[in-house]
Amino acid sequence: LALTGASEHSIVLSALGYDTFRTSLDVADVRFSVLKARLELCPVEPRLSARLLVSPCAGFELGSQTGRSYPDGVRVETPRTVSGLWVALTLAARLGMRFGAFSVGLGPELGIPLQRNGYVLTQPDRGVYQVPRVTVGGMATVGLAW
């Protein structure tokens, strides 16, 4: 959902989610998921042509990150599910095309988690996953502008 105007800037509110599904690691079979909302400001959107524009954006994410272990009778006897707060800042650059009120975009982004959750198995303690200091990704967007 984006608000944009003739002054070539936008405010974007989006909901995102991703999931690793069941993944086998050395220490256990685990699953991680994140569900979050992002508020993003794109202060300038210079046009490269009548339809093509570039959008440098900065954002704030808030949501939940969940880790789950699965029993296998050897490495994990008792499965657990743990959820924690997800908070991050983001920087993105998108190349976009507009067709009237309809727009599409594609570009890279960086995330800087402000809370770096770590997941461990207990008895004995074994590290499973630590949120990195910086995340790198990409995003494709589809939207309506008015």
Side-chain angles (χ1 to χ4, degrees):
L1 178 64
L3 295 175
T4 187
S7 58
E8 304 301 333
H9 60 270
S10 61
I11 299 171
V12 180
L13 178 61
S14 57
L16 308 118
Y18 50 87
D19 197 312
T20 64
F21 300 101
R22 188 169 176 161
T23 304
S24 184
L25 302 177
D26 289 340
V27 294
D29 284 359
V30 295
R31 179 178 187 169
F32 295 102
S33 59
V34 175
L35 185 59
K36 58 191 174 182
R38 179 188 294 178
L39 179 61
E40 195 170 61
L41 303 174
C42 307
V44 295
E45 293 184 320
R47 288 193 178 272
L48 303 176
S49 70
R51 294 185 189 267
L52 199 59
L53 56 95
V54 175
S55 299
C57 304
F60 176 76
E61 295 179 343
L62 183 62
S64 173
Q65 181 178 35
T66 302
R68 171 180 294 154
S69 62
Y70 294 90
D72 62 10
V74 177
R75 300 174 295 176
V76 177
E77 292 289 334
T78 306
R80 292 196 57 210
T81 299
V82 178
S83 291
L85 182 65
W86 176 265
V87 181
L89 301 176
T90 62
L91 297 172
R94 284 191 202 81
L95 184 61
M97 291 188 77
R98 290 219 174 121
F99 306 94
F102 182 72
S103 68
V104 294
L106 183 66
E109 61 184 31
L110 291 175
I112 300 104
L114 300 179
Q115 179 166 327
R116 296 182 57 222
N117 296 324
Y119 294 87
V120 296
L121 298 174
T122 57
Q123 300 173 354
D125 287 350
R126 292 167 283 165
V128 176
Y129 179 75
Q130 172 74 47
V131 171
R133 293 183 198 285
V134 176
T135 62
V136 178
M139 180 178 283
T141 62
V142 176
L144 292 173
W146 65 90

